[in-house]
Amino acid sequence: MAHYDLTMPVTEEQVRQLRVGDTVTLQKTLFGIRDASYIAMFDRGRQTRFDLNGHAVIHTAPNVRKVPVSDEFPAGYEPVCIGTTTSSRMERFTRQLMSQCGVRFIIGKGGMHQGSLQAFQELGGAYLGIVGGTAALETTWIEQIEDVDLDDLNPESLWKFRIRDFGPLLVAMDSHGGSLYDEVNGDVKSRRDEILASLGAS
């Protein structure tokens, strides 16, 4: 297992170096996305002015405060609490996010499914897991909300964050077919079968 400090955006080659169990810290830029912004972009054909190519997205609908635009708050928003939501319900958008927008990393909680794992393999991506309940800590890794698009969907807008030392994050699904979630599920099933057998149950 290795640790990587990556300044965004990254290349496919950089992503394919990662393996399940490695850790990653991200620098410079991170985009926030959630259900409504996915639906707007991929079901309703709305375009974003952001260039997501080579970047990471985090599944979030942040708690923010509207403030006057300034050098400190160029988008007119102050971050209050920027946490991460469960990823699995956004599974159907992974391939489009990668093939149409060039996204390389998805950050979230709970993992994703086989469709996403296949997209990561074919297109060169990875899922970076965050432990639940760490929103306060995550917020300290965000220096500024630099910009926002699709803001009529607020708080499920498309957010552009300036980040510093965002992580470490765990590589939970990689571009080689590795999935921490599959490993855990397999281990749980094996132990369950052993316990049932020891009890004489089937």
Side-chain angles (χ1 to χ4, degrees), residues 64-80 142-148 160 162:
V64 298
R65 181 182 295 114
K66 188 73 173 172
V67 296
V69 173
S70 65
D71 290 342
E72 185 178 3
F73 306 112
Y77 287 105
E78 177 184 6
V80 176
I142 293 174
E143 294 188 316
Q144 187 182 73
I145 299 174
E146 289 189 334
D147 204 350
V148 60
K160 183 179 182 182
R162 188 181 74 205

Side-chain angles (χ1 to χ4, degrees), residues 26 78 92-94 99 101 107 112 128 143 180 186 188 202:
L26 302 181
E78 177 184 6
R92 70 185 180 93
F93 298 111
T94 300
S99 63
C101 301
I107 302 170
M112 304 190 82
L128 307 178
E143 294 188 316
L180 178 65
V188 168
S202 58

